[in-house]
Amino acid sequence: MKNFTLSLISFFIVISFGCMKNVDIDAEKEAILKVLAADDQELLDGISKDDTLNVEYISIGEGELNRISGVQSHEGNRRLLERGKFIKIENLDGPVIHVSSDGTMAWMAVKTKFVIAYDSLGVKKEWEGIEARLEVYEKKDNEWVAVAGVQIH
């Protein structure tokens, strides 16, 4: 009976380790950097993609916690891009990225400087801002998707 119990325990240990997913953390961090770069490039290009319409996003900022649908997020980005054009986005610190050991969740912290050009009563102006943010990503259909974030301007 003792040998059977040891064999059973050994079997479950082997099965447990065999089911563990081997995650390349560095490759996942690179994938998140690509998502960040693509998002920045879309802003610079004046594009508000609608590829996250089915994703709920939780935004925390200015003392508020907001649950935003993908449609609301898309509309907010579209309105922002109608009022001005991003002409510069520069990371001042970071990004710092952490990926969970199972490769399903990650967070990214970054401090960014941005410049937006806009027209005010026929006069071209620029507005410069600095933002620190923390984004939470979830792996959905093998793609990293931002699901929550904290922004401080």
Side-chain angles (χ1 to χ4, degrees):
M1 185 66 176
K2 189 175 188 179
N3 284 340
F4 175 75
T5 303
L6 287 174
S7 295
L8 193 58
I9 291 171
S10 297
F11 172 76
F12 283 116
I13 289 172
V14 168
I15 292 296
S16 295
F17 282 111
C19 293
M20 288 179 66
K21 185 174 154 183
N22 188 15
V23 177
D24 184 343
I25 300 294
D26 290 332
E28 297 300 341
K29 287 180 179 181
E30 284 297 318
I32 292 170
L33 284 173
K34 287 180 183 175
V35 170
L36 177 63
D39 289 347
D40 288 350
Q41 191 59 53
E42 287 170 13
L43 289 174
L44 290 167
D45 292 343
I47 299 170
S48 178
K49 289 178 65 176
D50 60 2
D51 60 349
T52 58
L53 293 180
N54 297 322
V55 177
E56 181 182 66
Y57 182 83
I58 297 174
S59 175
I60 301 169
E62 299 181 23
E64 298 291 329
L65 183 141
N66 298 295
R67 289 173 179 82
I68 302 170
S69 72
V71 172
Q72 290 169 311
S73 177
H74 175 68
E75 286 301 311
N77 287 342
R78 188 184 56 74
R79 283 192 305 274
L80 172 67
L81 293 169
E82 285 174 353
R83 292 192 303 260
K85 176 169 178 29
F86 281 83
I87 58 174
K88 182 177 184 178
I89 300 174
E90 175 187 2
N91 293 336
L92 301 176
D93 193 1
V96 177
I97 299 173
H98 172 78
V99 177
S100 65
S101 60
D102 66 355
T104 60
M105 297 288 293
W107 59 259
M108 184 264 317
V110 64
K111 180 179 177 182
T112 305
K113 174 182 175 181
F114 54 91
V115 179
I116 299 174
Y118 65 98
D119 187 71
S120 177
L121 302 172
V123 178
K124 298 208 180 296
K125 297 185 176 186
E126 289 184 0
W127 183 78
E128 184 177 297
I130 294 180
E131 171 186 77
R133 73 181 191 265
L134 176 70
E135 295 283 344
V136 178
Y137 293 91
E138 185 176 349
K139 197 90 174 255
K140 294 185 179 198
D141 298 326
N142 211 30
E143 298 288 328
W144 288 108
V145 177
V147 294
V150 179
Q151 296 86 20
I152 300 170
H153 301 273

